[in-house]
Amino acid sequence: MTFLVTGGAGFIGTNFIRYWLENHPQDKIVNLDRLTYAGDRKNLTDLENSSRYQFVKGDIGNQGLANQLMKEAEVVVHFAAESHVDRSIENPEVFLQTNILGTFNLLEAALKNKIKRFHYISTDEVFGELPLGTKEKFNEETKFDPHSPYSASKAGADHLVLSYYHTFGLPITITNCSNNYGPYQYPEKFIPRMITNILDGKKIPIYGDGQYVRDWLYVTDHCRAIEAVLRWGKPGQTYCVGGLTKDVSNLSLAKMILKIMGKGEEYLEFVVDRAGHDRRYAVDWNKIKKELGWKPKETIKSGLVKTVFWYQQNESWWREKKKEAEEFYQKLAAKKI
Ligand code: NAD
Ligand code: TDX
């Protein structure tokens, strides 16, 4: 089969393309990516000699291009997005442009070209936040209640994607997954920011009191979940994907990483909180487990050990990106004062 993957030069898309081509030797992938600050074509240059992989630089909002690429494709896996909550606080407009209008453009092209499956990668952040110290979790029935411009733009796209199933019969599926981590994640995000700070001998910035909870999912487990949905998922369905069963606070996560890297708690630094910071995310992934037989393989410990190792081995990948990310954070901090 021929796939059109959008946003494949970003973190999850890169991991997905590698995973898919390794595990599906008959398939071909075209990767459409605009190469924003978050995209790096070099992530996959070793595949560019292969007849099974093609990179196309372009915007998902480009109608002609989306139509042209979908003529050849049977399946679309749509990752491309502006993905960072802190940047959506600073400059929301591009989030609406890419995440909502870009998705709309892809849906139109998918309909016109009779795409067999349109899979949209969404987030658990569309559900809002949960209270600390409860056993409540997000599931497929949870009402949407997005709090940041990022999550609002993702939620808008979730609704649009579903509407193309109900109104036009486009065979869509959606995964609402939790916080991913692993190789190739841009160092603006919490886990790679912590690891690269420690490697640079710098402290780890903990927002607010550190008692915020995220549900951490190792990126390869997420790729396996997408694979399960593409193979066995039913059109029109959404699937929640998470990596944990017990809460891990940001502070405990930071301490785990310090321990893995052989450093002490003097590396912790509490900093000013994020505006509108969601307290707790926790995902109930029973539906995908029961219906499609998926569950995560990595524990938080095994996933973190792999991730730390990757960043230790790949400084040339993250060095320039980290400079850009920290400049962004400095600008953000200056605005808050
Ligand atoms: P990322 O920011 O690392 O990568 C996004 C990619 O999309 C980049 O390569 C970028 O160049 C590309 N892109 C951005 N705008 C584009 C446009 N207009 N046209 C074409 N390409 C464009 O993101 P990620 O962390 O890999 O996330 C991928 C998807 O998964 C996103 O839709 C995100 O909302 C979702 N998601 C991410 C997480 C997470 O923890 N990272 C969790 C849940 C859901
Ligand atoms: O320096 C930091 N210090 C800190 O305490 C950073 C960058 C983050 N944090 C906190 C904020 C969050 O509680 O860590 C937690 C994780 O932050 P991010 O890595 O920015 O992720 P989050 O905001 O939870 O969103 C991520 O998961 C859901 C992805 O960026 C989204 O694309 C995805 O939809």
Side-chain angles (χ1 to χ4, degrees), residues 62-98:
N62 180 332
Q63 215 174 58
L65 185 58
N67 258 317
Q68 182 198 323
L69 296 178
M70 282 197 214
K71 279 195 183 99
E72 310 296 325
E74 290 152 283
V75 176
V76 174
V77 185
H78 174 31
F79 294 93
E82 287 295 332
S83 70
H84 193 34
V85 175
D86 288 324
R87 292 191 199 243
S88 82
I89 296 168
E90 225 255 326
N91 177 21
E93 194 175 338
V94 65
F95 285 72
L96 274 61
Q97 199 68 43
T98 287

Side-chain angles (χ1 to χ4, degrees), residues 30-144:
V30 176
N31 173 13
L32 169 64
D33 197 297
R34 199 182 99 197
L35 299 181
T36 66
Y37 77 94
D40 187 347
R41 180 174 177 170
K42 290 197 293 300
N43 291 354
L44 296 168
T45 34
D46 55 310
L47 299 178
E48 287 193 20
N49 290 329
S50 158
S51 57
R52 298 171 56 217
Y53 173 74
Q54 187 194 349
F55 177 77
V56 176
K57 182 171 188 246
D59 197 310
I60 55 167
N62 180 332
Q63 215 174 58
L65 185 58
N67 258 317
Q68 182 198 323
L69 296 178
M70 282 197 214
K71 279 195 183 99
E72 310 296 325
E74 290 152 283
V75 176
V76 174
V77 185
H78 174 31
F79 294 93
E82 287 295 332
S83 70
H84 193 34
V85 175
D86 288 324
R87 292 191 199 243
S88 82
I89 296 168
E90 225 255 326
N91 177 21
E93 194 175 338
V94 65
F95 285 72
L96 274 61
Q97 199 68 43
T98 287
N99 299 1
I100 302 181
L101 294 176
T103 301
F104 165 67
N105 189 50
L106 294 176
L107 287 166
E108 282 287 296
L111 200 57
K112 207 180 261 177
N113 290 285
K114 300 190 172 50
I115 288 297
K116 290 189 182 134
R117 177 66 70 85
F118 184 100
H119 183 72
Y120 171 58
I121 311 296
S122 190
T123 168
D124 60 356
E125 298 199 17
V126 298
F127 302 121
E129 65 176 348
L130 297 164
L132 271 187
T134 64
K135 294 225 177 301
E136 262 182 81
K137 293 192 174 193
F138 299 135
N139 64 37
E140 292 76 8
E141 308 303 319
T142 307
K143 189 172 143 292
F144 278 24

Side-chain angles (χ1 to χ4, degrees), residues 146-159:
H147 290 173
S148 71
Y150 162 70
S151 52
S153 68
K154 291 296 288 185
D158 283 54
H159 288 309

